[in-house]
Amino acid sequence: VANGIIYSVGGFTASGMVGNIYYASPNPTDGSIDSWATTALAGGGAGATSVSYPYVFVRANPSSAGSAPFNMYIMGGCIGATGLGCPSVGGYTPDVYKCNISTAGLVSGCSTSGQMQIGTVTGASSAGLGAMAGTVYANYIYLMGGLAEGATDLKVTRYARIDDSNNIVNIS
C-alpha cells in the first residue's frame, strides 16, 4: 500500500503467467474497490520480469519525494509457471527489483541495479526463491521459508539491510 493505493504483483491463471502489476484505490468510507488498473511488468511496462509468488513490499522514498515518493520491491518468485506451483527446473528467480512509484501511483523504472540478488539457498540446486513469507522491520527485510529448485518447505530466515539510498544490501 502506498499513498492510499493497493498493489498486487504477478500471479497466474489456468492459461499461464500473469505479467501485471494490479493497483486500485479503495473507497475510504466502506473499503470497496470498483476496479483494478494494470501496468505490465515486462516490455514497455514497469521493467521487471513476469513472476508469480514473489514477496513484494512498498517503502517511502524520501530522496525523491517530489516525483517518486515510494519504492516497490519485487523479490524472487516463480518464473515460467504454467499451472499451480513453480516448474521443478529453472522455475525460480533470484531477482530483486526496486521500482519507482510516482505521485500518481504508477509503477515504473524497475531495476535490479544496486540491489543484492537472492542467490542460491542452502540445499537448492540453483539460485532463486519463491513462495516465501516476508516482513520489513526498521531498515531490514526478512524472508522466511519458501521454495527453491531442489529444496522445498525451507525452514530458514534470510535477511538483508536497506541502506540510506533505499537499496537492499547484504542478503544473508
Side-chain angles (χ1 to χ4, degrees):
V1 176
N3 205 24
I5 299 174
I6 297 172
Y7 295 88
S8 178
V9 175
F12 62 85
T13 65
S15 56
M17 297 289 292
V18 176
N20 292 321
I21 298 172
Y22 296 91
Y23 57 100
S25 297
N27 180 314
T29 305
D30 65 8
S32 64
I33 295 175
D34 289 331
S35 64
W36 291 85
T38 61
T39 296
L41 277 166
T49 303
S50 293
V51 65
S52 59
Y53 299 125
Y55 179 70
V56 178
F57 71 98
V58 173
R59 177 180 171 95
N61 180 16
S63 66
S64 294
S67 59
F70 295 94
N71 290 127
M72 174 185 285
Y73 299 84
I74 304 170
M75 305 183 77
C78 300
I79 53 176
T82 57
L84 290 176
C86 301
S88 59
V89 176
Y92 301 88
T93 181
D95 293 339
V96 174
Y97 286 96
K98 175 183 170 184
C99 311
N100 294 318
I101 300 178
S102 72
T103 54
L106 301 176
V107 179
S108 66
C110 296
S111 174
T112 58
S113 178
Q115 309 311 303
M116 184 66 75
Q117 302 304 289
I118 291 174
T120 302
V121 177
T122 302
S125 54
S126 69
L129 183 66
M132 62 288 205
T135 193
V136 176
Y137 175 74
N139 287 326
Y140 292 90
I141 171 72
Y142 297 87
L143 299 178
M144 290 82 68
L147 308 170
E149 190 169 315
T152 58
D153 194 24
L154 296 169
K155 294 174 177 54
V156 63
T157 298
R158 300 168 57 84
Y159 68 98
R161 187 172 58 86
I162 303 169
D163 71 12
D164 292 339
S165 297
N166 255 7
N167 291 317
I168 297 178
V169 297
N170 301 330
I171 289 182
S172 64

